[in-house]
Amino acid sequence: MKRYIFLTANIHPIGGMQNYVAGKAAYLEKNGWKVTVFFWGDNKGTCAMTSMNKYLSGGMTELGMPPGEWPRRIREQVLNRMVRLIGATDLADEIIVESQDDVLALWGELLAARLQAKHMCFICNETFRGPKKHYDQYLDFFNFKHKRRELTCIHKESMGKLFAGYKGVEDKEAYYFEAANEGPVQNVDNEKIDAIEKADWNICCIGRSDKTCVDPIMDGIAGFALSYPQKKIQLLIVGNVDDRMEWLHQKLDKASNLVLTCLGDLVPIPRTLFSKIDVVIGSSGCAECSVVEGVPTIVSDAENSLANGILGYTVFSAIFKNSQTVQLTYELALKQVLIDKIQDSLPFQWEANKPASYYYDQHMQFTAESEQSRQYDTDVCRQAHVDMGKLIKYYVRKYLPHMMSYYDSAKKKKGGKKEV
């Protein structure tokens, strides 16, 4: 039997990682693989992408912390639970474990060693240092995976950023992959989209509301609206922002000519939306899907959250700036698009992606060309110390979930954010 096991982010919301896993899981199942998905989060509720609901049993809150920060008893319980959910395996089975961030890579190595499986780190993160990031604590481990060609990132510059201060990475070893999906934009009807009225300018933001770029984006939009009080401006937000409405109004209500329209999660995004907007602000996959629809798209830099420019016109990466990029505020970027219309005098240069299956085939080829011996660095995955503060939060979240839900909601309303 062929088994493919994902260790990924929370599958309840909609985002780049969720779209990628949904598309690749469907591809794998079509090609004879039995797919299991483990994710950090609870196993209740439903997913924004209905195709992911069948994987909800794989939700484990413990996967949000490095395995070494748990007592050995809890760590073993988690691994044993994974093995039970995967089901009986045989030495003749072909088993691949794919992990997608720093913490999940550590869990993936322990699970792969338990199953004697192949473990590939397809890292979907765009940043590698800062709060809630653990890459710099485990660079020896990631170096081990890199040398075995079991580590790849989502941009050609990402590998160098991951190993910054540890080692240099030659271009030929800066492995990267396309986190492709079946496409979030489709020809579907939607009453919310049909009801959108055209203002002088309709600005659209697409993406998760907890990304660090949201704060400067909202400041830029409010500043732009204040600069043109005679214009009626509508801000359309695609993505669930229910728990940040108070914060959003604090940011935006200073501009009386700015109307906020929240569209919630759109799965898929109706293609007709793009005929009703003048400019999109987004990053990564959200920016890529927008530029393909022919709308000027302002790109947020994944590293410092500033605006890099207009995708396909002044900037040609949906993730990072390069040495020629002149970064700017979102207020100035909006002025370039809506007032100066600089895109009208520039050539458009953007190559549409190939079908997702083309990239998934590349993933499987990369895996086949990696080191095939079964060797694991499980010792480093356990190296850490038990964090009593996090442990207490874990037990409160597990046995008093309503209390933690109230705490999380209050934190977000105050503008507290986290980025995954």
Side-chain angles (χ1 to χ4, degrees), residues 1 3-5 7 34-38 79-89 93 95 97 111-112 115:
M1 180 177 287
R3 298 175 180 269
Y4 204 99
I5 302 158
L7 276 76
K34 181 180 179 181
V35 175
T36 304
V37 177
F38 296 115
L79 291 169
N80 289 337
R81 201 185 326 159
M82 287 193 206
V83 171
R84 286 197 302 272
L85 285 170
I86 292 166
T89 60
D93 290 345
I95 308 174
V97 175
L111 178 62
L115 299 173

Side-chain angles (χ1 to χ4, degrees), residues 200-216:
D200 291 316
W201 293 314
N202 278 359
I203 301 170
C204 183
C205 290
I206 305 177
R208 298 199 322 273
S209 66
D210 60 357
K211 283 196 170 185
T212 55
C213 60
V214 174
D215 198 330

Side-chain angles (χ1 to χ4, degrees), residues 27-39:
Y27 159 90
L28 289 163
E29 290 177 342
K30 183 178 179 180
N31 285 279
W33 293 80
K34 181 180 179 181
V35 175
T36 304
V37 177
F38 296 115
F39 61 95

Side-chain angles (χ1 to χ4, degrees), residues 215-349:
D215 198 330
I217 288 173
M218 294 303 139
D219 285 337
I221 293 171
F224 178 80
L226 286 169
S227 297
Y228 299 93
Q230 75 281 11
K231 295 289 188 180
K232 182 180 178 182
I233 302 172
Q234 180 174 203
L235 171 59
L236 303 159
I237 296 181
V238 177
N240 191 329
V241 293
D242 290 346
D243 56 2
R244 303 202 70 193
M245 289 302 298
E246 182 180 341
W247 177 83
L248 281 169
H249 282 294
Q250 289 175 354
K251 288 281 185 181
L252 302 173
D253 285 354
K254 63 187 78 170
S256 60
N257 59 326
L258 179 60
V259 176
L260 174 63
T261 300
C262 299
L263 299 172
D265 289 330
L266 297 177
V267 186
I269 300 174
R271 182 160 278 113
T272 51
L273 168 67
F274 296 93
S275 67
K276 297 193 172 191
I277 54 183
D278 300 290
V279 60
V280 172
I281 304 176
S283 64
S284 193
C286 297
E288 291 182 354
C289 77
S290 301
V291 74
V292 169
E293 297 303 317
V295 179
T297 302
I298 297 169
V299 177
S300 298
D301 187 79
E303 207 162 34
N304 62 20
S305 297
L306 290 172
N308 284 343
I310 310 168
L311 192 59
Y313 294 98
T314 66
V315 66
F316 306 98
S317 166
I319 303 176
F320 295 119
K321 63 182 182 300
N322 59 33
S323 57
Q324 285 77 46
T325 302
V326 179
Q327 292 189 297
L328 59 165
T329 66
Y330 292 96
E331 183 176 349
L332 182 55
L334 286 167
K335 181 178 181 297
Q336 286 186 348
V337 173
L338 299 174
I339 304 298
D340 303 334
K341 298 184 181 297
I342 66 170
Q343 67 274 9
D344 292 349
S345 60
L346 294 171
F348 179 68
Q349 302 175 55

Side-chain angles (χ1 to χ4, degrees), residues 365-384:
Q365 184 64 31
F366 183 83
T367 300
E369 293 173 354
S370 65
E371 173 60 52
Q372 295 301 304
S373 64
R374 295 295 188 262
Q375 294 180 351
Y376 311 96
D377 188 356
T378 55
D379 289 340
V380 73
C381 295
R382 299 187 183 95
Q383 288 175 3

